[in-house]
Amino acid sequence: MQKANRLSLWLLTCLASISLIAPLTAAPSVKQPSASERWTNLEKADSPSFRRHVVPLMSRSGCSGRECHGSFSGQGGFQLSLFGYDFEKDHKEITDDQEDGVRVDKKDPTQSLILLKATNEEHHKGKERIKKGSWEYNLILKWISEGAKIDVAETGEFERLEVLPKEIVFKKTDETVQLRVLAHWKDGTVEDVTQITRFRTNDDTVSNVSDTGEVKCTGPGDTHIVAFYDNGVHPIPVMLPVSDKVGPKYPKIVTNTKVDELVLDKLRKVGIVPSDKASDTEFLRRVSLDVTGTLPTPSEVREFVADKSADKRAKKIDELLNRPAYAAWWATQMCDWTGNNAAQLRGAGEKDFNTELSRLWYDWIEARIAKNEPYDKLVAGIVLATGRTSPDQSYLDYAKEMSSYLTKNHPADIADRPNMPFFWLRQNVRKPQEKALAFAHSFLGVRIECAECHKHPFDQWTKNDFQQFQAFFEPISYGANSNVKETVSYKSMAEKLREETGETDKKKQKKAVEAAFEKLVRAGEPAPWQELFVKRISTRKLSDKEIAKLKQKNPNYNSRVATPKILGGEEVSLTDYPDPRAPLMDWMRDPQNAYFARSYVNRVWANYFGRGIVEPADDMNLANPPVNKELMDYLAEGFVAKGFDMKWLHREILNSDTYQRTWKPNDTNRLDEKNFSHMVLRRLPAEVAMDAIALATTSSQQQSIFAGDIEKRAIGPNVGSGRKGQSGYALTTFGKPARLTNCDCERTSDPTLLQTLFTRNDPELLTKLEGSSKDNAWITELRRMNGSFSAEEKKADGELRKARATRQNLKKRKEMALAKGNAKPEELKKVDELIAATEAKEKELTGTPKAPAFNQEEVIQEIYLRTVSRFPTADEMAKAKEDLASAKDPVDGVRDVLWAMLNAREFLVNH
C-alpha cells in the first residue's frame, strides 16, 4: 500500500513537469517545479502559457506597471493593460508589427523587440528588465518560437492563490523566509508560480520582500506581505515580537469578552502587553463623547464616580445608547458616509428646497437609528428607494406627498415614509458610474474608482467588472417618469404653472414659477416635483438602423450593454427583477457577503478607536487586510446573526476591556497604534469639539438643556448653512466633511494653525467664553454671584467686552501676519500700540477688584469637570489658585483659567 502511494506521488510530480495545462490532483504539499527549473534549459523547456506565464512575468518585471507600459498612455507607443488583466488587448499590442521593428518575430524570435528591449540590447528607457539567456528570457523566447499564441480559452478560469507559509513569525531581525505561491485553477491544475508572482510589503520597517518571494525581517512589529498573480491577491501576516513577552513569558491576563480574547490572541504573538483599564472619569468622558458626541456634565461625573456598583459601566453604556444624542450623532456620521450634501440636492422642483431636503434626509436616518431599526432594513430603505412609495401611487398623490413634508403648518413626518430617495437625487450621482462608485463607498466600504479605467492595483476588480457592476444602475433615473402615461404628470403640472404666470420673459417667468411653486409647497398642495424611478428594461434587440440613429444623436452611445454582475459574484438577469437594485440588496444581506456587514462594523470600530480593523475604514481591498482577521470575522458574523442589530454591535465593543483600556502606554505597547492594546489619543470631531466648547462655557442651568436639545447641537441636524450647504467657519476649520467625494478621508482630524487661532482668540469662542449680563454663559453666572449688575456696571461691562474683543482681534491679526511671514515692522509697531491702548482701557474699566463670593476650590473643580471631565490634581489645584489670586477681578481669573483649559490639548482630544 505504501509502495503504491509513493508511486502515485512520483507520477503526479512527473505530470506536473510534463504538462502545464492538464489538470492536476496533487495536494499543495507536493513539490512543484519552479519557473526557473522549467525554463533555465531552453532545450528541455516546457511550453509556456501566454496567460499563466508570459503576462505574469511581464507584470513582475514591471513592464505592465503604471510607471511603464501599463500607464494610461503607455510608453514609446507600446501600451499594456495595467498589471496585465486584458489578455486580448495585450496579446494584440505585443504581436503587432511596429515601424521600428517587430515586437514578436516568429521567423527569428531572438530579434523580437520584446526581447531586445527587455535585455537592453536595443536602447530601452526602462533599462534592463531581464538578462539574456536567463530563465525569464528563455520563457518568452520559447513562447515566441512556438507561435506566440494566446490561450485564454484553453487555460480556463483562475480560482485562487495559495501562499505558504500562511503566517510568518520571525525570531530576530535579518532572518529570512522563502515564500511559495501556488495558483489553483478551476480545471484542477495547481502550479508553483512563486517566481512569476508580484510581491509587496505593507510596511518595510517590519519586513521587505524580494522579486523572488524571499521575505526579510527589518524590524519589530507586524504587517502583511501581499502576493499578486493573475486575478489573485493574497496577503499573509508577518511579524517580529516587539518584546520578550512571548510564550511562557507572556503574563496571564483575564479576558472578559470574546473581543478581548481575539485582541489578546494577536497581542501574544507580537509580544505586546495591553494597558490597564481606564479610570472611571477617563472611561466616562470617552464613552460619552464616542456614543453621543457629548461631554458629560460635572454632576454626571460626580454621580458616576460616587457609584460603587460593579455593573455601572454597562449601565452607563445602555443609558447613552438610549439618549437622543446617540441617534443624532450616529445619524450625522451616516449622512457623512452616504453623502448628504445640500448643495447636491438642487433641481428637485421648480424652486430649490435643497437645505430642507437635506434635513429630511437626516431626520429619516435619525428616526431609524433611534428605534434601532436593523441596519440592513435601514439601508434597504435607501438603496431600493423610488419617488413613489408604492406602484399604485399616482403622480398627483406623489406630488402632494412631497409638498406635505415642507408645508408651513403641520408638516408630515418624513420618518413615516418607508424609503428615502434623496441618496439617488444628488447632482454628483446622476451618471450610472457615479451611482456605482457612491453605492460601493457608502454600503460596501470599497473604493473601486481605479477599476473604472483599468484593473484595480490592489484588488481583483477589472474594468470589465466595473462595467458589469455599473449596469445595475443604468435604469435608475430621475426626472419625469417615462414609464407611465398619466393625465397629471410632472410635465403637465410644470407647463401649467408656467402658463399661469402669464410671463413671457424667461427671467421673469422663472422667478414667477419659483414663487408659485413655493406657495403650493408651503400650502401642502401638489407641486411639480421630479421623481426617482426605475426605467423599464427592454429585452428587444435594436436594429442596426436604430443603433445608427442613436449614435447620430449621441456619438458616445454604446450598443453593447454589459450584463450586470455582482462584485465577486455571479451575473444577474435583470429581466427577473422589476428593480435592478433588488439583487444587490439580496447579495448584501447574504451572510457570506464579504463587504456589507464588515464595512459597517469597521466604521463603528474606527469611530471608537481612531482607526479601523481595516484602515482606511472605507478601503476594504484584498491587499489591505484586517489587522485582526478573526476579530473582524467574529464581529461581522455576530452582527449578521443578530439581525443587523446596531446596538448589539455597539455594546459588544463598548463593554470590552479592549475599549475600556487607558490611553497610558507601557514599555511594550508604547509604539502600538494598530493592535488596540491601549487607547490612542484622538482629536475630537469638528461637531463634537464645537459642542464641547459650548457645554464648557454655558451656565450650569443651560448645560443639561443644551446637552439634550439636539436642534441646537452641532452633532445634530446641522446639515449646513447658506445656499451652498457649506458648514460654518468653525466646523470647517476643525474638519467637518463637505460630503462631496466618495471618501471617509473628507473628515479630517489633523491639527492646524487655524484651529489654534480659533481656540485662542476667535470672536465666536470669546463670545461664548466672556459672557454678558444678557446671556447664559457660566462667566455671567459667576459675575451675578459676585455682585448684581447695575446700570453703570452694565454699560461698563459692554465697553469692557468691546475692549477685550478689540484686543483679541488685534492679537489675532498680528499672529496671522507673523505666521504668513509678510509683516512689516512699522505695521507691527502700530498694532502693538493699539493693543497697549486697549489693555489700558480694560484696566480702567476693570476698576477695584472685588473679593470672590464663591468657593475657589469648588470653582476650580468645576472648570476641570466642565472641560476634561475629571477632578484637578493637587498641583493643578495649587497652580489654579495662584492664577486666581493674581487676577485683579476673581471672575476674570476664573475666565482666564477656563480659557487656558479650553486651549489645553487634553480638552480637544478624546483619550
Side-chain angles (χ1 to χ4, degrees), residues 707-722:
D709 189 354
I710 301 305
E711 288 295 322
K712 294 180 180 178
R713 300 286 304 279
I715 64 159
N718 189 329
V719 294
S721 57

Side-chain angles (χ1 to χ4, degrees), residues 228-248:
F228 302 85
Y229 172 83
D230 197 87
N231 206 30
V233 182
H234 191 89
I236 66 156
V238 176
M239 63 198 76
L240 173 66
V242 302
S243 74
D244 63 349
K245 301 291 191 294
V246 291

Side-chain angles (χ1 to χ4, degrees), residues 604-616:
V604 171
W605 186 277
N607 176 78
Y608 289 141
F609 290 91
R611 64 154 290 142
I613 303 173
V614 171
E615 183 64 20

Side-chain angles (χ1 to χ4, degrees), residues 718-784:
N718 189 329
V719 294
S721 57
R723 280 187 69 254
K724 296 184 178 180
Q726 296 172 339
S727 300
Y729 168 75
L731 290 172
T732 304
T733 298
F734 279 84
K736 179 178 171 65
R739 301 171 179 170
L740 285 170
T741 63
N742 296 312
C743 186
D744 289 4
C745 60
E746 269 198 315
R747 179 177 289 281
T748 60
S749 59
D750 297 330
T752 66
L753 176 60
L754 286 177
Q755 292 167 13
T756 303
L757 292 173
F758 179 87
T759 55
R760 286 192 178 182
N761 54 23
D762 190 89
E764 184 179 340
L765 180 132
L766 295 177
T767 300
K768 292 179 183 295
L769 176 67
E770 295 282 0
S772 73
S773 58
K774 295 179 181 179
D775 62 27
N776 292 309
W778 184 52
I779 294 299
T780 303
E781 186 180 329
L782 291 179
R783 290 194 192 283
R784 289 197 180 103

Side-chain angles (χ1 to χ4, degrees), residues 641-658:
K642 293 292 181 179
F644 296 94
D645 184 335
M646 293 183 282
K647 285 188 177 180
W648 174 87
L649 178 62
H650 288 292
R651 289 190 187 98
E652 197 70 11
I653 297 171
L654 297 170
N655 281 305
S656 69
D657 288 347
T658 301

